[in-house]
Amino acid sequence: MKQLSLKTYLKLFWSTFTLSAFTFGGGYVIVPLMQKRFVEKLKWVEEEEMLDLVAIAQSAPGPIAVNASIIIGYRIGGVWGALASILGTVLPPLIIISILAMAYAAFSTNEYVAAVLYGMQAGVAAVICDVVLTMALGIFKKKNPYSIAIMLLSFVIAYFFNVNVIFVILGAGLFGLAYGYWGKRGHAK
Amino acid sequence: MIYLDLFLAFFRIGLFSFGGGYAALPLIQDAVVTGKGWLTMSQFTDLLTISQMTPGPIALNASTFVGTQVAGLLGAIVATAGCVAPSCIIVLILAKLYFKYKNLNAMQNILFGLRPAVVSLIATAGVGILFTALGIGTSLDFIALGIFALAFLALRVFKPSPILIISLSGVAGLLIHLIKPLI
């Protein structure tokens, strides 16, 4: 981990701050947003590494948005980077909820607020679909039948059988280990 | 001491909520409603409503909401710190291991298996949000479908910032709400 300029830390902080402020609809939403910002726009992280980082974030307890921020911050700027990105992630909910805790009765029944949120939900769905499509095409393009099989199978298991994500992660990791050991004698690339 | 109490209660929530999102819900309820009596059940329901309308993980929203109720702004900060402390420790350890061993064959093989699975997990969450937003399975909402289709098309063709697209979708929702009574 190299030392970065103050400007980079600020950029990291501001990136996670704005992403966190738009993470409507649950933790996973931040993953596509991060993919767009850090992989496609800033090019600080490669797509394949991003998937590794998400897997690690998912393997630890705690909110995935928080975990993903910590590990990406650490990858980009070491412990100080992790600190900058965690601050950026926790501040928006802290500010927004502090204000709303005082005025939530008026807020939660406001029809205009509801209309904006209704539109945003459709927009969030579009962002996720866009990123999933890009990522899935990336897997298909490698033309490795095992990767494609893992992807399809884990979707069926997680979506239709509601298996806890921890078991999906564990299973896929073990499969990779076994495949490398017996299938290709140590090289799974 | 109330601050230490808050810190420890949310430290436990952060530490034991695996799987993210709503997996933390029963833990939070157990700690702040049943355990400490910091919130009444109806306040807890308010917290859920607010969480659904605001960005951010539900555990963090709960930290601020409960912290503010119990001990003001400082309470909110202490509870938030408690909530993210386990993540900081555990994720940093895992990160160190990953960067140290990622070039080992065994690690490469594990990651080879993990990458496609992660795509699927994101897709699983995406399908849930898509179905809720468009009313698939209940009653199909053509206006939401229209916003979704335009946003998706714009993302594929022009590759704009997702935050811009989400904001514009919100504006579209508001405009449609304002125009609707006029038609």
Side-chain angles (χ1 to χ4, degrees):
Chain A
M1 298 308 125
K2 50 191 182 290
Q3 272 293 309
L4 301 172
S5 65
L6 186 65
K7 211 179 141 199
T8 315
Y9 286 120
L10 282 176
K11 203 169 188 179
L12 186 59
F13 168 80
W14 184 242
S15 293
T16 52
F17 185 89
T18 48
L19 296 188
S20 175
F22 278 85
T23 320
F24 285 91
Y28 263 114
V29 174
I30 206 166
V31 174
L33 292 177
M34 284 179 159
Q35 156 88 11
K36 285 234 158 237
R37 177 69 57 92
F38 294 116
V39 179
E40 291 176 23
K41 190 174 167 217
L42 296 173
K43 296 189 178 10
W44 281 351
V45 183
E46 279 178 41
E47 178 156 338
E48 213 166 63
E49 192 174 20
M50 183 74 191
L51 290 175
D52 297 349
L53 299 185
V54 174
I56 294 169
Q58 187 63 71
S59 312
I64 176 135
V66 172
N67 294 353
S69 296
I70 296 172
I71 193 155
I72 286 177
Y74 181 77
R75 158 72 179 73
I76 294 163
V79 173
W80 288 107
L83 207 66
S85 60
I86 186 99
L87 262 181
T89 307
V90 302
L91 277 181
L94 191 68
I95 296 167
I96 294 169
I97 301 288
S98 299
I99 295 168
L100 286 186
M102 292 176 262
Y104 68 84
F107 178 78
S108 62
T109 52
N110 187 299
E111 55 175 316
Y112 302 111
V113 173
V116 171
L117 289 171
Y118 163 85
M120 285 174 97
Q121 209 173 19
V124 166
V127 171
I128 298 196
C129 287
D130 172 48
V131 169
V132 167
L133 184 63
T134 304
M135 285 178 154
L137 287 177
I139 300 279
F140 277 116
K141 263 184 211 145
K142 292 209 168 137
K143 296 202 171 106
N144 183 316
Y146 292 98
S147 293
I148 295 170
I150 293 173
M151 186 166 71
L152 299 177
L153 199 65
S154 43
F155 181 78
V156 170
I157 292 171
Y159 186 72
F160 291 102
F161 296 99
N162 273 320
V163 172
N164 191 309
V165 288
I166 298 294
F167 296 115
V168 178
I169 295 264
L170 270 178
L174 284 177
F175 178 88
L177 204 58
Y179 166 74
Y181 194 74
W182 285 292
K184 286 201 155 182
R185 266 172 290 161
H187 266 287
K189 255 268 164 118
Chain B
M1 188 177 141
I2 188 68
Y3 296 115
L4 189 65
D5 259 8
L6 274 171
F7 185 88
L8 289 178
F10 280 94
F11 189 91
R12 283 186 43 195
I13 290 170
L15 185 60
F16 291 109
S17 58
F18 269 98
Y22 290 94
L25 217 54
L27 276 168
I28 299 169
Q29 188 186 345
D30 195 52
V32 305
V33 183
T34 325
K36 296 284 183 185
W38 282 329
L39 295 186
T40 64
M41 199 55 211
S42 99
Q43 282 176 309
F44 185 68
T45 316
D46 291 335
L47 164 64
L48 295 188
T49 315
I50 294 182
S51 288
Q52 269 162 355
M53 307 175 85
T54 55
I58 187 155
L60 283 185
N61 293 342
S63 307
T64 301
F65 192 82
V66 176
T68 310
Q69 300 278 332
V70 178
L73 184 61
L74 189 59
I77 294 169
V78 169
T80 300
C83 183
V84 300
S87 291
C88 288
I89 300 165
I90 295 167
V91 173
L92 284 182
I93 293 172
L94 290 177
K96 274 202 189 301
L97 292 174
Y98 165 75
F99 290 115
K100 192 166 174 196
Y101 296 114
K102 75 170 173 178
N103 293 322
L104 287 184
N105 265 336
M107 189 68 162
Q108 280 297 321
N109 292 331
I110 292 174
L111 292 171
F112 166 83
L114 282 186
R115 283 175 197 135
V118 170
V119 174
S120 291
L121 290 178
I122 300 170
T124 307
V127 171
I129 290 167
L130 183 66
F131 279 26
T132 315
L134 307 191
I136 298 171
T138 47
S139 67
L140 190 61
D141 182 337
F142 286 101
I143 294 172
L145 181 66
I147 298 176
F148 167 81
L150 282 177
F152 184 74
L153 214 68
L155 280 163
R156 295 307 295 180
V157 178
F158 303 111
K159 308 205 177 302
S161 142
I163 289 176
L164 177 71
I165 286 295
I166 297 173
S167 307
L168 286 178
S169 304
V171 173
L174 183 64
L175 287 179
I176 289 165
H177 177 78
L178 293 174
I179 293 170
K180 229 182 194 170
L182 305 177
I183 320 171

